[in-house]
Amino acid sequence: MSTATFVLAATSGDVLNVIAAFAGGLFIAGALVWAVQFGMRVQDRESPRPRPEEQAHLPATGPVREMREMREPDEMPMPGDSRERLMPYQLHPAASRRGKDQRRKRWLPGSSGSFGGGGLGHV
């Protein structure tokens, strides 16, 4: 084989690689254009965004604030009672009484902070 044949074979391989890369780039660009057009069609079918006058507004009294308070625990029957097991619909609603002590309960210093964690507990 002559040197010209090797140069021609190497050049034709390079040309094929360039053509394949160009075709792959065109394919990817076409897929991106199709995806954008598809997204625009889907967006056109959605309901329109609300206008500024349709947006929610603050009440005249101002923003609503969260109210925190400590509640008294609701009494539950002990397991040793002669009564039958309570069903969920027999439990009291969440209308418990407001507690006398409104200070927030905190972990004691030196306690483990978890049940059965092996800490010093309530000292």
Side-chain angles (χ1 to χ4, degrees), residues 81-98:
D81 288 349
S82 61
R83 296 172 37 174
E84 294 181 23
R85 187 176 109 186
L86 288 176
M87 300 305 288
Y89 56 85
Q90 294 172 315
L91 296 176
H92 299 284
S96 62
R97 297 178 312 271
R98 186 175 193 269

Side-chain angles (χ1 to χ4, degrees), residues 31-44:
L32 288 173
V33 168
W34 175 83
V36 167
Q37 287 178 344
F38 180 74
M40 290 171 67
R41 275 186 266 136
V42 167
Q43 195 173 22
D44 288 342

